[in-house]
Amino acid sequence: MAGIRGRTAGVAFATMGVQEPVENPDECGGRHSLFRPLPSECLEPIDTDRPHLTDSPGVVPPGYVQLELGVFAYEVRRGQRNQLSFFNNLYKLGLVDRVDLELFLNHIAVEGGAPRFASGPVVVRSKVALPSTERLHVTLVPIVAIPFDADPGAAGAFVFLGWEPVRSVDVELNAGVTFPFAESAPPVMVASSAVTYRVSGPVRAFGEFYTVSDPSTTAQLTFGTGVLVAIGRDTQFDAGVFTGLWGDTPTFTSFVGFSFRR
């Protein structure tokens, strides 16, 4: 996940290439919150952070819950035991217009045949979307990693940027810094970028580079690629691989995931 590791709603949504009109466009305007959710007909297709390491600037619409489930991941590590993970999940709640609350938790990790439950870190963050244009979106993201499972924890802030140069291509950029709670630990810089291309209908493919610069260890560089398949407006399937190119990163990681919004 970037930093430790749905776009704003319009007046119509596209489901597998079909535009459906909003019955009452006025319902999409005004203010919305947990207690006055955005009407369902105003929603755009689900916009997720996973499976990218580069996160989206998209914010969950107010009054909706979005679950992004990392159902399965298998890591091949250099000089270490390989790791199998189940349900490395993101839980999101749309609070008000342009603001959501998010929780990251890896539920099960199996290493050397021994399972660990609720393995750290536990990350809490919020996305605050700035006023945007049709093709450019910027989000500010404060983050806290709660000390857990031998992880010292950290706090930091990020900027997530999304740009749509043409209708079939999305470009996303992340940049930020985290400050570990461990004594004398230096700040950690993170930068990443991803390009997602609409292949055909509900199928999209992505490629990305993710870098971590930690003065206390070797810099890390990871390349990732995969596919995203929309199943209607509110559900998405994903699968792909990450390859460690430099530093202390897993040699190879394969993953399968599933996301939905309600």
Side-chain angles (χ1 to χ4, degrees):
M1 329 229 151
I4 310 192
R5 112 131 162 93
R7 281 190 173 80
T8 53
V11 297
F13 65 80
T15 303
M16 300 204 180
V18 179
Q19 287 289 123
E20 297 192 16
V22 175
E23 293 182 4
N24 185 359
D26 292 339
E27 290 292 324
C28 300
R31 296 181 179 179
H32 300 90
S33 68
L34 279 173
F35 308 104
R36 185 175 181 265
L38 188 72
S40 176
E41 62 267 25
C42 302
L43 294 175
E44 293 188 352
I46 187 171
D47 184 16
T48 63
D49 288 318
R50 71 165 321 283
H52 307 78
L53 298 175
T54 305
D55 290 338
S56 162
V59 174
V60 176
Y64 290 84
V65 172
Q66 185 164 305
L67 274 62
E68 302 180 15
L69 311 178
V71 177
F72 167 91
Y74 184 70
E75 293 184 357
V76 177
R77 299 177 171 185
R78 298 180 179 90
Q80 302 180 47
R81 291 177 174 175
N82 298 339
Q83 178 173 288
L84 185 62
S85 297
F86 297 95
F87 300 108
N88 187 7
N89 296 347
L90 288 71
Y91 302 93
K92 301 181 178 182
L93 176 64
L95 300 179
V96 296
D97 294 308
R98 300 182 182 277
V99 179
D100 68 15
L101 181 65
E102 305 182 357
L103 173 70
F104 298 67
L105 179 61
N106 188 12
H107 286 270
I108 304 173
V110 181
E111 187 175 335
R116 291 182 294 122
F117 298 92
S119 58
V122 177
V123 179
V124 179
R125 77 182 188 188
S126 178
K127 285 185 181 178
V128 181
L130 301 182
S132 62
T133 67
E134 182 180 356
R135 295 188 180 274
L136 181 65
H137 303 262
V138 180
T139 299
L140 304 180
V141 188
I143 287 178
V144 175
I146 301 170
F148 185 80
D149 191 31
D151 188 283
F158 285 75
V159 175
F160 297 163
L161 183 148
W163 176 46
E164 188 181 17
V166 295
R167 191 159 296 279
S168 60
V169 175
D170 286 319
V171 178
E172 294 172 344
L173 304 173
N174 292 176
V177 59
T178 59
F179 299 89
F181 296 147
E183 186 176 355
S184 301
V188 177
M189 306 293 294
V190 177
S192 62
S193 63
V195 176
T196 304
Y197 174 70
R198 187 173 301 280
V199 179
S200 177
V203 179
R204 294 179 295 154
F206 76 88
E208 70 171 337
F209 287 96
Y210 176 81
T211 63
V212 178
S213 179
D214 183 345
S216 65
T217 186
T218 307
Q220 301 175 18
L221 174 62
T222 300
F223 172 74
T225 186
V227 295
L228 314 170
V229 182
I231 307 170
R233 182 193 61 187
D234 299 305
T235 308
Q236 176 181 278
F237 168 83
D238 63 72
V241 297
F242 294 113
T243 302
L245 301 179
W246 189 267
D248 186 20
T249 60
T251 304
F252 179 85
T253 303
S254 58
F255 63 83
V256 172
F258 182 76
S259 302
F260 63 93
R261 177 180 60 197
R262 292 291 182 271

